[in-house]
Amino acid sequence: MRSATEWYVRIMIRSTAPRCAWCGQKFANPGGPGRPARYCRRSHRQRAYESRRIAVERGLAPDEVLLTADAWQSIRDTLYTLEAAAQDATADAQIANSLVELRQVTLDLADTVSRAAALSAEPRAIGE
C-alpha cells in the first residue's frame, strides 16, 4: 500500500506535465535553457502558426474556433453522456446500501469520464 505522501507526489508529477498548445496531449518537457516547450512536436508548432495566420486573414478573434459539424456533434454527445453519468451516479449513490455499491458507482463514473477524456478533436489549420 502506498503512503499518502507518495500519492500526492505522483499526482503533482502528473499535473505538472505540460500539454501541447495544439493537440492538448501531455508531453515530456525536454527542459534545458530557454522557454519551456509549448508543443509536443514541430509539426504542431507549424500548424498553430498557420492557423493563427489564416485566422487573422479571416478576421477571427483569438478566442474563436472553427469546428466541423461532426466534431461539434461528437463534443455535444460526449458532454451529454457525462451529464447523464453524473446524474446516474448521484442517484445511485443516494440509494447505495454498502461500500461495495458505492465503489461500483464510482468505477462506472470513472469509466465514463475516461472514455470522454479519450475524445480527440485535434485541431487542424484552416484550409487543410
Side-chain angles (χ1 to χ4, degrees):
M1 182 133 228
R2 294 184 172 140
S3 69
T5 305
E6 187 176 350
W7 282 110
Y8 176 75
V9 170
R10 292 176 64 88
I11 291 170
M12 290 301 295
I13 290 171
R14 276 192 219 130
S15 65
T16 59
R19 289 191 175 267
C20 178
W22 181 251
C23 69
Q25 295 296 314
K26 291 182 181 179
F27 66 97
N29 194 350
R35 285 186 245 160
R38 293 188 58 217
Y39 303 98
C40 62
R41 31 181 97 96
R42 285 183 174 192
S43 63
H44 287 187
R45 185 177 67 193
Q46 180 65 26
R47 297 289 93 66
Y49 165 76
E50 292 168 356
S51 183
R52 286 191 308 272
R53 184 178 50 82
I54 294 170
V56 167
E57 289 174 3
R58 294 191 180 196
L60 296 176
D63 62 342
E64 293 179 318
V65 296
L66 297 176
L67 292 172
T68 64
D70 289 341
W72 174 242
Q73 188 63 43
S74 179
I75 291 168
R76 288 182 62 206
D77 290 347
T78 301
L79 289 174
Y80 174 77
T81 302
L82 285 171
E83 180 184 8
Q87 290 172 352
D88 290 347
T90 300
D92 291 346
Q94 291 173 351
I95 61 171
N97 294 322
S98 68
L99 288 177
V100 172
E101 290 177 1
L102 279 174
R103 181 178 186 272
Q104 190 57 51
V105 168
T106 304
L107 291 173
D108 292 344
L109 183 58
D111 180 54
T112 303
V113 170
S114 294
R115 282 186 273 126
L119 172 71
S120 177
E122 185 170 324
R124 297 185 320 184
I126 301 168
E128 280 186 349

